[in-house]
Amino acid sequence: MSNDQTFESVACATIGETAQLPDVAVAALIGDDSRLDWVGMDAIDLPLRIVADGIASCNDDIRVPGRVSVEVDLRSDATRGIHMSRLYLALDKAVSEPLSPAVLKALLREMLDSHIGLSTCARVRMAFEYFLRRPALVSEHSGWRRYPVVITATIERDALTIDVQFDVVYSSTCPASTALARQLVAQDFAHAFPAHAPLDREKALQWLASEHGMRATPHSQRSTAQVAVRLDPTVAELPFAALIAHAESALGTAVQTTVKRIDEQAFARANGENQMFCEDAVRRLHLAFADSDPMRALGVHSVRVHVAHHESLHAHDAVASIGER
């Protein structure tokens, strides 16, 4: 046998023995041996199976594109790194099941079991878009709305925490602008119907219904509320639809999909009846979630809220937060 043939035989045998492949991640540390709070993978693209709660004509789960991160801590001061592939394999198995608190806990447990002696806590974050069919305010029509959702689950010493964050978009009418517009309307009315002349009710109604009756209008704008709730880890389901509906009900002016004139008029009334600064909106949402029997029944323990009113008067946003400290 030639020297070349001998070399090839040895090389093939070595490659075939996976146990011989080098693993430098477990090599002894040289220099800084700091323990790491989190290490893992971010921005993993995966299809997530979501229970289609609230979606018309669908009683099963659906697949949605997701962006996922998985991490564990690294507490061993004698190991250079973790086993990234073990985290991915655990995640790949988990997403084959419909997403639930039980699936999240099993995933986190497997992440830790695959790093015994290295890690004591694990975290997974899943971001996706949840679609709901929303009815019009008055007419028989309906349409689809998209809600960004982020789930963050963490386990440490068998203690599981589950946070669900979601965004809702609504309309906010400025109370200050409304008061100023009303003042101008009152001044115009006083000029059109002076005190010394008898008031003709029909003419007054015609005037109010004409363009002269509202030459000043308050400003309103599309606004975004980001709500984050912590759920009881023993809950059986992730109640996306119920959480979203509760937030929209508390605000009263969620943006619409299909709109006929009768719906647009109802939306105008809703804006007039729900004028709010960003401070009003954030307090309204916090109260709705923090002091609510329906939310307690769903397992909501705590809530954080951030709102942004994307001003039509200013070139900047008006923002407010509560529950973040």
Side-chain angles (χ1 to χ4, degrees):
M1 183 181 293
S2 68
N3 288 338
D4 288 343
Q5 289 175 321
T6 302
F7 176 79
E8 289 175 1
S9 299
V10 172
C12 290
T14 303
I15 292 174
E17 298 173 3
T18 57
Q20 299 300 316
L21 295 177
D23 186 1
V24 297
V26 298
L29 285 170
I30 299 175
D32 189 3
D33 61 353
S34 299
R35 298 181 178 186
L36 306 182
D37 293 329
W38 297 109
V39 56
M41 295 175 287
D42 190 19
I44 305 169
D45 292 319
L46 287 170
L48 304 177
R49 291 179 63 183
I50 307 298
V51 176
D53 182 21
I55 298 180
S57 303
C58 185
N59 298 317
D60 202 354
D61 57 87
I62 60 173
R63 286 193 179 273
V64 298
R67 183 62 63 89
V68 184
S69 69
V70 283
E71 300 166 295
V72 293
D73 64 338
L74 182 55
R75 293 308 181 197
S76 173
D77 57 7
T79 302
R80 186 175 183 180
I82 67 166
H83 306 284
M84 298 278 184
S85 62
R86 297 179 187 178
L87 299 185
Y88 187 90
L89 291 172
L91 177 61
D92 190 49
K93 183 175 73 172
V95 298
S96 67
E97 299 291 331
L99 195 58
S100 69
V103 167
L104 292 171
K105 185 172 184 178
L107 167 61
L108 294 169
R109 188 72 262 171
E110 186 167 348
M111 290 166 61
L112 286 183
D113 288 345
S114 67
H115 286 78
I116 293 176
L118 301 181
S119 304
T120 60
C121 55
R123 179 170 67 184
V124 60
R125 181 180 183 273
M126 299 180 172
F128 57 93
E129 294 184 343
Y130 190 73
F131 276 80
L132 284 174
R133 190 83 179 173
R134 312 308 276 162
L137 290 175
V138 181
S139 71
E140 73 281 7
H141 300 287
S142 63
W144 291 102
R145 284 282 299 116
R146 174 184 64 86
Y147 301 89
V149 174
V150 178
I151 301 171
T152 305
T154 305
I155 194 168
E156 183 173 7
R157 297 184 182 88
D158 285 326
L160 176 68
T161 60
I162 301 176
D163 294 320
V164 176
Q165 176 184 296
F166 59 94
D167 292 1
V168 295
V169 181
Y170 61 102
S171 174
S172 59
T173 298
C174 176
S177 179
T178 301
L180 295 170
R182 284 173 177 162
Q183 182 185 52
L184 291 176
V185 170
Q187 291 174 357
D188 287 348
F189 184 88
H191 181 74
F193 298 91
H196 59 78
L199 181 63
D200 186 321
R201 184 174 183 273
E202 289 302 318
K203 286 186 177 180
L205 289 175
Q206 291 176 9
W207 184 90
L208 288 171
S210 71
E211 61 182 16
H212 301 291
M214 192 172 288
R215 290 193 293 177
T217 59
H219 76 81
S220 60
Q221 53 272 320
R222 190 180 299 174
S223 305
T224 304
Q226 187 174 88
V227 181
V229 298
R230 175 155 293 181
L231 298 178
D232 188 316
T234 64
V235 297
E237 299 177 351
L238 298 168
F240 304 124
L243 294 173
I244 291 167
H246 195 68
E248 290 186 337
S249 177
L251 291 165
T253 55
V255 296
Q256 302 296 297
T257 56
T258 304
V259 175
K260 304 296 285 185
R261 278 179 292 176
I262 192 171
D263 301 309
E264 187 168 359
Q265 186 180 62
F267 189 68
R269 178 184 289 275
N271 273 267
E273 293 175 347
N274 292 279
Q275 301 164 40
M276 48 189 152
F277 297 120
C278 62
E279 298 94 330
D280 300 319
V282 77
R283 289 188 180 111
R284 183 181 292 196
L285 283 167
H286 185 263
L287 179 63
F289 280 87
D291 188 21
S292 168
D293 289 337
M295 290 298 98
R296 281 190 286 269
L298 289 177
V300 173
H301 275 189
S302 60
V303 61
R304 304 187 312 275
V305 184
H306 175 81
V307 303
H309 288 189
H310 313 298
E311 295 269 332
S312 60
L313 172 64
H314 303 289
H316 54 260
D317 294 344
V319 298
S321 301
I322 191 169
E324 295 189 354
R325 291 186 178 179

